[in-house]
Amino acid sequence: MTSKPRLQLALDHTSLDAALHTAERLHPYVDIIEAGTILCISAGIQAVRALRERCPQHTLVADLKVADAGATLAEQAFAQGANWMTVICAAPLATMASAQAVAARHQGEIQIELFGRWTLEDAKRWLDLGIRQAIYHRGRDAQASGQTWSKQDLDIMKALSDMGIELSITGGITPADLPLFKDIAVTAFIAGRALAEAADPIAAARQFHSAINDIWRG
Amino acid sequence: MTSKPRLQLALDHTSLDAALHTAERLHPYVDIIEAGTILCISAGIQAVRALRERCPQHTLVADLKVADAGATLAEQAFAQGANWMTVICAAPLATMASAQAVAARHQGEIQIELFGRWTLEDAKRWLDLGIRQAIYHRGRDAQASGQTWSKQDLDIMKALSDMGIELSITGGITPADLPLFKDIAVTAFIAGRALAEAADPIAAARQFHSAINDIWRG
């Protein structure tokens, strides 16, 4: 039995104040807090520091989707208090390696964001670099254009999971979707607007935890 | 005969003040100014606005390497004064389309950053969306690990160029490299540290222009 998936709050606000407000309200109800790409671009890397100050105990993710300059951007993210930082799968292996070296020095971890074209051979190379996490992503644009979770998605996730890659899963996920993923080693379910923009965000977080507890009885 | 390539100054500082200082010193000697990914992550999107205020006449690029949330990030970049914004080739077509729609509304343009796995079929789809620019990239990490410009690079650039895609070229380029690219429709050569960290940055910019004028006599 794999360990129980955690719940990750993605903050994709264009206003740092709005993101901090959401974090202050919801942090007791989630396990991991993410400074989303939109927030990091809008407010800069200070968003990571501001979240670290307010949520000192949470695992904190800098979702930078790094494609180049791995060491420089990793230094920025981890120095501001991130525990994990994302690198896009299209990045050169040299970028992944340099990001991973900085992450390791900070006791942090790199997560590979899966977008576009990549192969299981690529995933083997990520493991060889010491990277053990990936994010399986149904993009918000793909989602808005109607793309749903398919058997192919689930088969690919299972293959990665069987290789030893821990997956976080994101893209319009609701509690009702979670049973789909019961055979996969899920590190976290990542929810943004499903939490922050719910009529009752705290109730929404509780519904996620309740679904997780039902499916992964552990 | 294609038009003469322009010279693009990439600002990849982690300090906004340092980037603005470099821009103020070098803007009379370059054609295009780029708020690099490192700068945009470090300082946030205000970096684009600050550069627009100081360089009102220059073409200004926001190098965000967008992978998702195309409309939101494009709105951020173009509202702050960018003329062009980069999207990574691994992004879903839906992201490219939504970024392109916002760009068109602002009389701006999208540039596809070529990283990792992509095909000429993908490039055809970018053209179908109305995207006419791409950036051919020898990443700084790839470059640091010794990867050089190869015949394969040049053949791929020529194929894109022949399809009607205008290329900007980046990755440790020096004036001595420019003759390599004489058969390609080059929009811009992008130089960062080769300009900003040169012993004499203004002389370095002049060397680029001189090489461009020698090769593309127009």
Side-chain angles (χ1 to χ4, degrees), chain A residues 132-147:
Chain A
R132 316 205 69 82
Q133 293 201 62
I135 298 177
Y136 199 94
H137 207 280
R138 187 171 61 137
R140 62 157 68 189
D141 295 315
Q143 181 187 327
S145 70
Q147 188 185 310

PDB file of all heavy atoms in Angstrom, chain A residues 132-147:
ATOM      1  N   ARG A 132      12.847  12.227  -8.413  1.00  0.00           N
ATOM      2  CA  ARG A 132      11.894  11.150  -8.137  1.00  0.00           C
ATOM      3  C   ARG A 132      10.443  11.586  -8.245  1.00  0.00           C
ATOM      4  O   ARG A 132       9.536  10.804  -7.993  1.00  0.00           O
ATOM      5  CB  ARG A 132      12.136  10.573  -6.726  1.00  0.00           C
ATOM      6  CG  ARG A 132      13.616  10.350  -6.383  1.00  0.00           C
ATOM      7  CD  ARG A 132      13.810   9.297  -5.339  1.00  0.00           C
ATOM      8  NE  ARG A 132      13.471   7.993  -5.883  1.00  0.00           N
ATOM      9  CZ  ARG A 132      14.295   7.240  -6.626  1.00  0.00           C
ATOM     10  NH1 ARG A 132      15.527   7.634  -6.864  1.00  0.00           N
ATOM     11  NH2 ARG A 132      13.893   6.084  -7.100  1.00  0.00           N
ATOM     12  N   GLN A 133      10.221  12.857  -8.570  1.00  0.00           N
ATOM     13  CA  GLN A 133       8.844  13.348  -8.615  1.00  0.00           C
ATOM     14  C   GLN A 133       8.496  13.931  -9.987  1.00  0.00           C
ATOM     15  O   GLN A 133       9.342  14.567 -10.621  1.00  0.00           O
ATOM     16  CB  GLN A 133       8.625  14.457  -7.592  1.00  0.00           C
ATOM     17  CG  GLN A 133       8.714  14.041  -6.143  1.00  0.00           C
ATOM     18  CD  GLN A 133       7.992  15.072  -5.263  1.00  0.00           C
ATOM     19  OE1 GLN A 133       6.782  15.289  -5.387  1.00  0.00           O
ATOM     20  NE2 GLN A 133       8.731  15.701  -4.378  1.00  0.00           N
ATOM     21  N   ALA A 134       7.251  13.742 -10.373  1.00  0.00           N
ATOM     22  CA  ALA A 134       6.749  14.386 -11.591  1.00  0.00           C
ATOM     23  C   ALA A 134       5.316  14.843 -11.348  1.00  0.00           C
ATOM     24  O   ALA A 134       4.644  14.380 -10.425  1.00  0.00           O
ATOM     25  CB  ALA A 134       6.817  13.437 -12.781  1.00  0.00           C
ATOM     26  N   ILE A 135       4.889  15.783 -12.184  1.00  0.00           N
ATOM     27  CA  ILE A 135       3.529  16.312 -12.083  1.00  0.00           C
ATOM     28  C   ILE A 135       2.802  16.011 -13.376  1.00  0.00           C
ATOM     29  O   ILE A 135       3.238  16.409 -14.462  1.00  0.00           O
ATOM     30  CB  ILE A 135       3.549  17.832 -11.819  1.00  0.00           C
ATOM     31  CG1 ILE A 135       4.233  18.099 -10.478  1.00  0.00           C
ATOM     32  CG2 ILE A 135       2.119  18.394 -11.830  1.00  0.00           C
ATOM     33  CD1 ILE A 135       4.388  19.564 -10.140  1.00  0.00           C
ATOM     34  N   TYR A 136       1.740  15.239 -13.247  1.00  0.00           N
ATOM     35  CA  TYR A 136       0.936  14.911 -14.425  1.00  0.00           C
ATOM     36  C   TYR A 136      -0.156  15.953 -14.534  1.00  0.00           C
ATOM     37  O   TYR A 136      -0.937  16.173 -13.615  1.00  0.00           O
ATOM     38  CB  TYR A 136       0.334  13.509 -14.305  1.00  0.00           C
ATOM     39  CG  TYR A 136      -0.085  12.986 -15.653  1.00  0.00           C
ATOM     40  CD1 TYR A 136       0.772  12.194 -16.399  1.00  0.00           C
ATOM     41  CD2 TYR A 136      -1.318  13.325 -16.199  1.00  0.00           C
ATOM     42  CE1 TYR A 136       0.409  11.741 -17.652  1.00  0.00           C
ATOM     43  CE2 TYR A 136      -1.682  12.885 -17.453  1.00  0.00           C
ATOM     44  CZ  TYR A 136      -0.816  12.084 -18.177  1.00  0.00           C
ATOM     45  OH  TYR A 136      -1.168  11.636 -19.429  1.00  0.00           O
ATOM     46  N   HIS A 137      -0.224  16.572 -15.676  1.00  0.00           N
ATOM     47  CA  HIS A 137      -0.850  17.859 -15.827  1.00  0.00           C
ATOM     48  C   HIS A 137      -1.872  17.827 -16.933  1.00  0.00           C
ATOM     49  O   HIS A 137      -1.544  17.581 -18.084  1.00  0.00           O
ATOM     50  CB  HIS A 137       0.266  18.841 -16.213  1.00  0.00           C
ATOM     51  CG  HIS A 137      -0.011  20.226 -15.818  1.00  0.00           C
ATOM     52  ND1 HIS A 137      -0.818  21.037 -16.524  1.00  0.00           N
ATOM     53  CD2 HIS A 137       0.440  20.934 -14.752  1.00  0.00           C
ATOM     54  CE1 HIS A 137      -0.865  22.219 -15.924  1.00  0.00           C
ATOM     55  NE2 HIS A 137      -0.111  22.186 -14.841  1.00  0.00           N
ATOM     56  N   ARG A 138      -3.119  18.077 -16.574  1.00  0.00           N
ATOM     57  CA  ARG A 138      -4.096  18.406 -17.597  1.00  0.00           C
ATOM     58  C   ARG A 138      -4.178  19.930 -17.569  1.00  0.00           C
ATOM     59  O   ARG A 138      -4.739  20.500 -16.636  1.00  0.00           O
ATOM     60  CB  ARG A 138      -5.450  17.767 -17.271  1.00  0.00           C
ATOM     61  CG  ARG A 138      -6.460  17.929 -18.372  1.00  0.00           C
ATOM     62  CD  ARG A 138      -7.711  17.092 -18.093  1.00  0.00           C
ATOM     63  NE  ARG A 138      -8.350  17.524 -16.859  1.00  0.00           N
ATOM     64  CZ  ARG A 138      -9.668  17.669 -16.713  1.00  0.00           C
ATOM     65  NH1 ARG A 138     -10.479  17.373 -17.691  1.00  0.00           N
ATOM     66  NH2 ARG A 138     -10.171  18.054 -15.557  1.00  0.00           N
ATOM     67  N   GLY A 139      -3.536  20.575 -18.520  1.00  0.00           N
ATOM     68  CA  GLY A 139      -3.397  22.029 -18.491  1.00  0.00           C
ATOM     69  C   GLY A 139      -4.739  22.738 -18.420  1.00  0.00           C
ATOM     70  O   GLY A 139      -5.755  22.201 -18.846  1.00  0.00           O
ATOM     71  N   ARG A 140      -4.723  23.970 -17.870  1.00  0.00           N
ATOM     72  CA  ARG A 140      -5.999  24.663 -17.725  1.00  0.00           C
ATOM     73  C   ARG A 140      -6.570  25.049 -19.079  1.00  0.00           C
ATOM     74  O   ARG A 140      -7.776  25.115 -19.242  1.00  0.00           O
ATOM     75  CB  ARG A 140      -5.911  25.863 -16.791  1.00  0.00           C
ATOM     76  CG  ARG A 140      -4.979  26.971 -17.229  1.00  0.00           C
ATOM     77  CD  ARG A 140      -5.376  28.291 -16.578  1.00  0.00           C
ATOM     78  NE  ARG A 140      -5.155  28.315 -15.134  1.00  0.00           N
ATOM     79  CZ  ARG A 140      -5.596  29.293 -14.343  1.00  0.00           C
ATOM     80  NH1 ARG A 140      -6.279  30.309 -14.853  1.00  0.00           N
ATOM     81  NH2 ARG A 140      -5.357  29.277 -13.058  1.00  0.00           N
ATOM     82  N   ASP A 141      -5.704  25.249 -20.066  1.00  0.00           N
ATOM     83  CA  ASP A 141      -6.232  25.561 -21.388  1.00  0.00           C
ATOM     84  C   ASP A 141      -6.794  24.301 -22.049  1.00  0.00           C
ATOM     85  O   ASP A 141      -7.860  24.339 -22.659  1.00  0.00           O
ATOM     86  CB  ASP A 141      -5.154  26.204 -22.257  1.00  0.00           C
ATOM     87  CG  ASP A 141      -4.725  27.566 -21.697  1.00  0.00           C
ATOM     88  OD1 ASP A 141      -5.610  28.346 -21.331  1.00  0.00           O
ATOM     89  OD2 ASP A 141      -3.516  27.826 -21.627  1.00  0.00           O
ATOM     90  N   ALA A 142      -6.060  23.187 -21.905  1.00  0.00           N
ATOM     91  CA  ALA A 142      -6.536  21.920 -22.454  1.00  0.00           C
ATOM     92  C   ALA A 142      -7.880  21.561 -21.822  1.00  0.00           C
ATOM     93  O   ALA A 142      -8.823  21.135 -22.499  1.00  0.00           O
ATOM     94  CB  ALA A 142      -5.511  20.826 -22.201  1.00  0.00           C
ATOM     95  N   GLN A 143      -7.935  21.775 -20.516  1.00  0.00           N
ATOM     96  CA  GLN A 143      -9.142  21.505 -19.748  1.00  0.00           C
ATOM     97  C   GLN A 143     -10.304  22.392 -20.219  1.00  0.00           C
ATOM     98  O   GLN A 143     -11.411  21.910 -20.458  1.00  0.00           O
ATOM     99  CB  GLN A 143      -8.748  21.818 -18.315  1.00  0.00           C
ATOM    100  CG  GLN A 143      -9.700  21.645 -17.230  1.00  0.00           C
ATOM    101  CD  GLN A 143      -9.049  22.217 -15.953  1.00  0.00           C
ATOM    102  OE1 GLN A 143      -7.837  22.155 -15.761  1.00  0.00           O
ATOM    103  NE2 GLN A 143      -9.856  22.784 -15.090  1.00  0.00           N
ATOM    104  N   ALA A 144     -10.006  23.672 -20.413  1.00  0.00           N
ATOM    105  CA  ALA A 144     -11.051  24.603 -20.867  1.00  0.00           C
ATOM    106  C   ALA A 144     -11.548  24.214 -22.249  1.00  0.00           C
ATOM    107  O   ALA A 144     -12.713  24.439 -22.581  1.00  0.00           O
ATOM    108  CB  ALA A 144     -10.511  26.028 -20.884  1.00  0.00           C
ATOM    109  N   SER A 145     -10.668  23.590 -23.051  1.00  0.00           N
ATOM    110  CA  SER A 145     -11.090  23.196 -24.392  1.00  0.00           C
ATOM    111  C   SER A 145     -11.731  21.804 -24.392  1.00  0.00           C
ATOM    112  O   SER A 145     -11.970  21.226 -25.434  1.00  0.00           O
ATOM    113  CB  SER A 145      -9.905  23.251 -25.363  1.00  0.00           C
ATOM    114  OG  SER A 145      -8.990  22.218 -25.082  1.00  0.00           O
ATOM    115  N   GLY A 146     -11.977  21.244 -23.196  1.00  0.00           N
ATOM    116  CA  GLY A 146     -12.800  20.041 -23.085  1.00  0.00           C
ATOM    117  C   GLY A 146     -12.044  18.729 -22.920  1.00  0.00           C
ATOM    118  O   GLY A 146     -12.650  17.671 -22.819  1.00  0.00           O
ATOM    119  N   GLN A 147     -10.700  18.792 -22.861  1.00  0.00           N
ATOM    120  CA  GLN A 147      -9.923  17.556 -22.739  1.00  0.00           C
ATOM    121  C   GLN A 147     -10.135  16.952 -21.341  1.00  0.00           C
ATOM    122  O   GLN A 147     -10.027  17.634 -20.332  1.00  0.00           O
ATOM    123  CB  GLN A 147      -8.455  17.902 -22.968  1.00  0.00           C
ATOM    124  CG  GLN A 147      -7.520  16.710 -23.055  1.00  0.00           C
ATOM    125  CD  GLN A 147      -6.066  17.192 -23.153  1.00  0.00           C
ATOM    126  OE1 GLN A 147      -5.734  18.037 -23.972  1.00  0.00           O
ATOM    127  NE2 GLN A 147      -5.217  16.678 -22.282  1.00  0.00           N
TER     128      GLN A 147
END
